[in-house]
Amino acid sequence: SLGGPKRKEEASILGSKVSNVLGGYLRGQFIVSISTGILVSVGLSIMGVPYALVLGLLAAVLNVIPWFGPIITEIISAISAAFVSPWLALAAVAWIVVVQQLTDMFITPRVMSEQVDLHPLLVIFSLLVGSALAGLVGLLLAIPVAAIAKGLFVYYFEKWTDSKLTTQEGAFF
């Protein structure tokens, strides 16, 4: 055999790390989506947009689709608000743009950082690199790929150098 029990143990450890990262990513995505949905619902409700709760739920569900999810939410919200007034339709779209910017700049990096154990700047950097290299697919895969790569790097660095790269607060980077 090529390594036997030692290789199986190592594969089990690595599998566990990947599983933790992917689970954390899904939890983080859920938290970000729910936050977006709540903010959209509250804002549209205060403005008097019909079906604000349904539109917030739609925003939460579509939030997982980069770029297109928020645009679809904006279009449907504008149509709903246009039955009241064209100015309300414009205000509804503006509010969704503001919410999306707030979640993208403040909530997503912090939540994902906590859930997948990556520094917020590394989260933002991975999203930029992912979108530059592979567009929409790169955006979807950027955070889990970066977190898995970091986990593998830390594991093998500590194994090969016999030193600790992680601290009580988490990894050095």
Side-chain angles (χ1 to χ4, degrees), residues 28-134:
Q29 192 64 50
F30 178 77
I31 292 167
V32 170
S33 291
I34 293 299
S35 301
T36 301
I38 289 170
L39 289 170
V40 166
S41 284
V42 169
L44 295 181
S45 181
I46 290 170
M47 286 184 220
V49 175
Y51 307 109
L53 190 62
V54 173
L55 294 169
L57 181 62
L58 181 69
V61 171
L62 293 177
N63 190 62
V64 297
I65 306 169
W67 294 321
F68 299 111
I71 291 171
I72 294 167
T73 303
E74 290 166 10
I75 291 168
I76 295 172
S77 297
I79 292 168
S80 179
F83 284 104
V84 177
S85 94
W87 291 110
L88 186 60
L90 188 62
V93 169
W95 175 246
I96 293 169
V97 168
V98 166
V99 167
Q100 204 59 48
Q101 293 303 309
L102 288 173
T103 56
D104 288 350
M105 289 176 13
F106 299 108
I107 296 174
T108 301
R110 284 181 177 78
V111 167
M112 286 302 182
S113 168
E114 186 178 302
Q115 293 297 321
V116 297
D117 194 26
L118 282 178
H119 192 278
L121 289 177
L122 198 52
V123 169
I124 293 168
F125 180 74
S126 67
L127 289 170
L128 289 172
V129 170
S131 68
L133 293 178

